[in-house]
Amino acid sequence: MRVRCPECDFRVRVPDDDEDARVKCPECGERFRPSDLDDGDDDEPQSRRTDRGRSGKRTPAKASNSQMLILFGVLGGVGVLVLGGIAVVVAITMNRGGAVAKGTTAKMTPAPVKPVTPPRPVPVSPTTSRFGPEPPTQPQPQPQPPFGPQPGNPFPQPPSNGFNPPPSPFPPGMGPGGEMPGGNPGGSGSLPNAGNSDLDDLFRQSVDKPPPNTKVAVLACKKDESMLAVPTFHSLLVANKLVRPSAQTKLTLDEVKQATVYIKVDAGELSGTGSGFYIGSENGAALVATNHHVIEAAAKRVPANAKRPKITCVFNSGVPADERLSLAQVVASDPVADLAVLRLENPPAKLPKPLNPWATPKLTETMEVRICGFPFGEQLATATTNPNISVNNGSVSSLRLNKVGGLDKVQINGSINPGNSGGPIVDKDGRLVGVAVSTIKGSGLGFAVPVDELIALLEGKILFTEFLPAGIDGATAKFKVVVPVMDPRTRVKTVYVRYWAGKGVKPRAVKDAQLGHRPIENAQEIALKLPDVGTSLTVATGDLKLPADATEVVIQIGSEQMPAPGQARGLIAVSAPVDYKLSVKGVPNGSDTRPLAEVFRNPAALAGQTVVARGKVVQPPSGIQPREVISVSDVSGRATAGVKFVVDRESAVQFDEVDPEIRGNDVRLVCVVGKRGADGLVPVRVARCDFLDEVDVVTRTVPEADTTDTLAALNRNPTKFNGKTVTVTAAAALQSLVPLPRDSFRVLFDNLAFPRSVQFQYTPVLARKVAELRLKPNGLFKVRLTGGVSATSEGGMATVSVSKVEVLDPT
């Protein structure tokens, strides 16, 4: 007999005498039991499910019969800058006739760039104030400069902070096909868990080695929404009417179509597609603009032995006789604004007319626009070519402002679909209105990034500022100032911090059309070190010293542009002053540590002792056994001979929760040393692992006492929840192209790691209800899951039978 695959609707032949046997669909690879299907009429027509990409996110490549790995989402970060967004809540009930309910909730917020470890400061001579106090001479109107990165300045790959080697994208013990093999999930690195008296004694020994405290001063904004926001040079030129309109202001529809490119990212399991557009060239560098999330996988650093991601830009996509392909590299990327700029490595001999970011119309509600791009990616392609461009009509329905009154998003009433991400939205004269970025599923509303954000990325942009505590020296509180600067065209000359600290009347904030804000009076100033490293993303650093007894602190940050030819100085941009509160408190640190190699020079002689060492976690434990091996090295990456480091299950599972931003940091290890075993190795129990930051302060401890995260608590101790109903908010891939154990799906922590102790599944009926939403297969979505927990074996896997799924971020 033949039945239809519940995943792709393909007709599958199955044995007539065994409806309970699992069969594999030859079309999509889905495994299912014919007896699970709720309709016995195998000839009844069913709607074919269309795979859709995440709106505003990349669309996956076509599925082959081979198994595909799960697609990961975005990066993490330290500070959080909230981007406005709206999403649709889809509530799905367990019963067969349950209706799909929809609502609205806040969209997940991208994390800002995490600053790299500050480079070694370079001494500079004292300078006169770049802020004023008198306003600088007003620059003379200049012709709009060409734009493009300086030759030889490729965008640097961000440093890798992950454990090495990277963990498998599948839960521990689960193979690429979703199978759960028997045996020890810890593999060869696991230890005997019973019958070894020496190991039993090692894990019974009590440990009390909390890190020492030191007093540090902490600077915190007095208002949560306050931030040091430096205006862009372009915004100051516009405010002072110093920008000459571009001579090329209009494009025909055909010219806009020719400038729109189809972007393909080949990055293994993170492969996908999106849209972009040609914005011009300078010094032989042809540039294409798109969204950061479209090329995010290619912007990440890859291990030395891994295949490097590849970005391909296709001009005249879908026109076989005229398709032109060019490889591209990322030269600038801003995950907060969700924008990126690519440089074509082998641009076509004949480039189209550019969509000039500086030649933009004045935006008004109801103005007509055209939405250009490649919705649904390869799903709309023919069998032999890339997809043709799609052009949809729409209108500007709202100009959404941020907290300081600037344009945050352009709301579009029109059809923006998955795959349109990064594509141009233009007015009827072909002038750029914004960059398509997201949509509200099923609403007909979408959003575009304002053009000014793209110009800011090209001309130099000051990102968020951090003040890292560096201790207290007598009556002086010391801080390390860290300011990431996105500067693909090397337009930023200097970055300055101006500050006032003391008691009494604070300086006032005074707006200024030329500067943004006037420099605060009676203040001091430091010039940060801006290294000339020839990269798009640099980090300005400096040392800030404040009176430790100061009760009020006011800080400004500013930047100076490289002067134009014939001018003595460039534009200066100054932020609004922000009020900070200085407080002194004790923080745990790693000052009691010694290098791992020094501590374990003779490990056998340390038997029975508790020692404290400094090192790095190379690879966390991989299983859920009562005892697991953990790979530890010294800070330079060298392993310690003759030693095997081990942890208990409580610690092992908590490594799943560690933020990727601190995984590569130094760690403070509290170790209990055992007796040399029959294998010749000395077992060392890691009783405590403290992750340290740049100034040696403890930022995360494994194990920690408690957690408010339900998924983390469930992962730590599943049996505690046995028989209970839980609600979990997490990232999940609700539809998978990879065959999994019975109706299972992937659920991850916010750091995109898998909880090793719990798996999620739903019935085929509920799975089909989710499939009707046409979410992207293997795409990650912010969800809220409700279901019952079954965890009967101590230390084993827990299963959550999901009865309700709410998609909080379907865009």
Side-chain angles (χ1 to χ4, degrees), residues 214 216 468-471 479-480 587-590 692-698:
T214 185
V216 298
L468 304 178
F479 300 89
K480 176 70 70 175
V587 296
N589 66 82
L692 306 173
D693 65 8
E694 296 90 339
V695 290
D696 216 29
V697 171
V698 175

Side-chain angles (χ1 to χ4, degrees), residues 613-633:
R614 178 184 291 262
K616 287 182 180 292
V617 176
V618 179
Q619 178 66 30
S622 60
I624 54 175
Q625 295 297 308
R627 299 163 188 166
E628 292 284 342
V629 171
I630 180 174
S631 179
V632 175
S633 73

Side-chain angles (χ1 to χ4, degrees), residues 45-381:
Q46 298 179 10
S47 60
R48 180 178 294 272
R49 183 177 65 84
T50 301
D51 293 339
R52 283 179 146 180
R54 178 173 176 171
S55 242
K57 300 291 178 185
R58 52 188 175 270
T59 304
K62 286 184 178 179
S64 63
N65 289 335
S66 63
Q67 298 168 340
M68 296 179 61
L69 299 178
I70 185 169
L71 176 64
F72 286 109
V74 180
L75 74 176
V78 179
V80 177
L81 301 176
V82 179
L83 295 177
I86 305 174
V88 179
V89 179
V90 182
I92 306 172
T93 54
M94 185 77 168
N95 58 70
R96 291 176 179 262
V100 178
K102 296 184 179 181
T104 302
T105 187
K107 185 179 177 182
M108 293 176 68
T109 303
V113 177
K114 171 72 176 179
V116 297
T117 302
R120 185 176 180 179
V122 179
V124 296
S125 58
T127 62
T128 57
S129 172
R130 302 285 177 160
F131 282 167
E134 65 277 2
T137 303
Q138 185 175 15
Q140 297 299 313
Q142 295 288 332
Q144 180 61 52
F147 59 93
Q150 297 298 320
N153 292 351
F155 182 69
Q157 297 292 347
S160 173
N161 286 332
F163 297 121
N164 184 29
S168 166
F170 299 98
M174 180 178 289
E179 66 277 5
M180 294 291 291
N184 186 354
S188 60
S190 297
L191 298 170
N193 290 310
N196 188 320
S197 58
D198 289 339
L199 277 178
D200 292 341
D201 291 341
L202 184 65
F203 279 86
R204 279 195 294 263
Q205 185 170 334
S206 61
V207 178
D208 185 21
K209 285 280 186 179
N213 278 332
T214 185
K215 287 186 176 181
V216 298
V218 177
L219 272 178
C221 292
K222 297 188 73 173
K223 296 182 179 179
D224 292 339
E225 69 274 10
S226 299
M227 57 186 299
L228 289 165
V230 181
T232 64
F233 299 128
H234 177 70
S235 66
L236 296 177
L237 288 171
V238 172
N240 290 279
K241 300 181 180 179
L242 297 177
V243 180
R244 286 184 177 180
S246 172
Q248 179 268 309
T249 58
K250 297 182 180 181
L251 292 181
T252 66
L253 178 58
D254 283 342
E255 289 170 337
V256 173
K257 290 166 59 178
Q258 291 170 12
T260 305
V261 300
Y262 179 51
I263 296 178
K264 300 192 291 185
V265 178
D266 181 5
E269 67 269 21
L270 298 180
S271 297
T273 66
S275 304
F277 54 98
Y278 174 60
I279 58 175
S281 60
E282 178 181 333
N283 298 326
L287 302 182
V288 167
T290 186
N291 286 144
H292 165 80
H293 70 253
V294 171
I295 53 80
E296 180 184 357
K300 293 181 178 179
R301 188 173 183 177
V302 296
N305 58 347
K307 180 182 177 182
R308 294 189 62 82
K310 182 173 69 174
I311 303 175
T312 304
C313 294
V314 183
F315 290 82
N316 294 329
S317 178
V319 184
D322 200 24
E323 271 194 351
R324 289 167 288 168
L325 280 65
S326 175
L327 296 178
Q329 293 292 331
V330 180
V331 294
S333 182
D334 185 351
V336 178
D338 203 351
L339 288 173
V341 177
L342 313 178
R343 183 190 67 233
L344 301 181
E345 294 184 348
N346 52 331
K350 184 179 180 181
L351 287 165
K353 289 184 178 181
L355 277 166
N356 191 335
W358 283 274
T360 58
K362 181 180 180 181
L363 301 186
T364 59
E365 291 86 350
T366 72
M367 72 181 295
E368 296 179 4
V369 297
R370 289 168 174 168
I371 304 161
C372 303
F374 300 89
F376 306 108
E378 294 185 358
Q379 296 180 42
L380 298 185

